[in-house]
Amino acid sequence: GFVWMYTEYDIFAVDVRNERAGLWKSYLEVAVAPDEQRPEFFARALQYCEGDALKEDKVKSIEADFYFEKEEFLAAAETYSETKRSFEEIALKFVVRSQTDALRRYLSACLQRFTVDKDKTQVTCLSTWLVELYLHQLNDLDGELRALDEKIHAAQREADAISASAPSSSSSSSSTSAGASGASSGASASASAATALSSLTDDDMRRRATRVENLIEQKNAKQDRFDEALKAFRAFLEDYASALDARTTYALITSHGRTEEMLHFA
């Protein structure tokens, strides 16, 4: 409708049309504003694109860059996969930042856009790269599990050594008795020293036990991640067996020393 504006000498009738046309851009500017970022406004910006593919791609692209700069790499990977940005550009961004988890997420999302029948070459290339990334992930988790095992064994050995050096109640009693027959003041000092050493040893034992428990919790959490990654890799091999080149895949799996996974693929 009309909006009326007037001055001392004039009256203007402003005919307002298509008020929503620029709303997507306004919401986008608010979402990335340096002083007060509001990422929830990306969804509103998309809403007011009203099906315009070019506008939607621009919103998604800026949203993905926003997450990448905030180092929310997994969210960035998901969002980049929904844009028309160059595949090489986005993959290189994650490679340069050594974000293999995000790269794997991005490649997997891109892979969903292809079908083996129509896009065999693209599917084979992407799935082979993903095999390599999965293998690196499994080997990295294996190494972290071994490192935790070594820390647990070292902490247990320290705890055993402290336990073995702890003064026993019988020796303390004997020392106290022997000291009493000689000089009561010396016996009292010896008993006090033994009590202090025993208290110190108990504190050390509790600290070592707590450290072992924490390390075991870390190992269990890491083992869960490994099991999930292994399950995902095996499911991936089954889903894309027809697209993967058998000789190349066997060579990759063998080079990483994953015999069980090689047998699973076979």
Side-chain angles (χ1 to χ4, degrees):
F2 285 97
V3 175
W4 294 92
M5 302 175 64
Y6 65 91
T7 67
E8 185 177 353
Y9 302 105
D10 299 289
I11 296 177
F12 300 94
V14 180
D15 186 8
V16 180
R17 300 177 183 177
N18 198 13
E19 292 180 84
R20 298 160 59 93
L23 280 177
W24 71 275
K25 189 178 295 185
S26 299
Y27 278 120
L28 187 58
E29 290 171 354
V30 172
V32 297
D35 52 340
E36 187 180 358
Q37 296 175 337
R38 302 285 297 275
E40 67 272 16
F41 277 26
F42 285 121
R44 295 192 184 183
L46 275 176
Q47 177 185 346
Y48 286 104
C49 288
E50 299 181 339
D52 188 317
L54 291 176
K55 293 177 182 177
E56 289 177 349
D57 188 67
K58 184 171 183 178
V59 171
K60 281 291 183 182
S61 182
I62 292 176
E63 182 181 7
D65 286 338
F66 172 84
Y67 290 134
F68 191 90
E69 290 167 8
K70 299 276 286 185
E71 297 188 350
E72 297 178 22
F73 296 113
L74 293 178
E78 290 283 359
T79 311
Y80 276 131
S81 71
E82 299 172 6
T83 71
K84 293 182 172 60
R85 296 272 287 272
S86 164
F87 171 83
E88 292 80 3
E89 173 203 355
I90 304 306
L92 184 60
K93 286 169 73 74
F94 291 122
V95 169
V96 169
R97 296 294 292 271
S98 300
Q99 293 298 319
T100 53
D101 287 345
L103 177 60
R104 190 172 58 254
R105 178 77 62 86
Y106 175 67
L107 295 180
S108 297
C110 291
L111 191 58
Q112 301 302 316
R113 299 202 300 260
F114 300 113
T115 59
V116 177
D117 294 336
K118 296 181 180 179
D119 311 290
K120 180 67 183 295
T121 302
Q122 293 92 328
V123 171
T124 299
C125 290
L126 286 177
S127 56
T128 302
W129 194 356
L130 280 165
V131 167
E132 179 78 14
L133 293 176
Y134 272 118
L135 290 168
H136 275 299
Q137 181 190 30
L138 291 172
N139 281 358
D140 288 345
L141 290 172
D142 255 345
E144 292 169 10
L145 283 169
R146 284 194 297 272
L148 284 170
D149 267 334
E150 292 174 1
K151 289 181 179 179
I152 291 170
H153 292 151
Q156 288 174 333
R157 285 194 297 271
E158 290 177 6
D160 291 342
I162 293 172
S163 178
S165 65
S168 66
S169 57
S170 60
S171 63
S172 298
S173 174
S174 173
S175 297
T176 304
S177 176
S181 65
S184 59
S185 60
S188 176
S190 177
S192 298
T195 301
L197 179 59
S198 176
S199 175
L200 178 62
T201 302
D202 288 344
D203 289 341
D204 283 344
M205 284 293 292
R206 282 192 290 269
R207 283 196 295 269
R208 294 299 190 281
T210 300
R211 173 170 168 74
V212 171
E213 290 174 1
N214 291 338
L215 287 170
I216 290 174
E217 288 180 4
Q218 292 177 34
K219 181 187 174 183
N220 290 338
K222 193 73 67 177
Q223 185 66 54
D224 289 341
R225 282 193 60 196
F226 177 85
D227 292 341
E228 291 174 4
L230 182 59
K231 182 179 178 180
F233 179 50
R234 291 183 172 181
F236 178 81
L237 290 177
E238 292 172 5
D239 291 341
Y240 290 94
S242 61
L244 290 165
D245 178 73
R247 182 177 298 180
T248 302
T249 305
Y250 282 131
L252 281 173
I253 297 175
T254 303
S255 68
H256 285 78
R258 312 297 310 187
T259 305
E260 290 186 11
E261 283 61 66
M262 182 182 67
L263 296 174
H264 181 84
F265 179 65

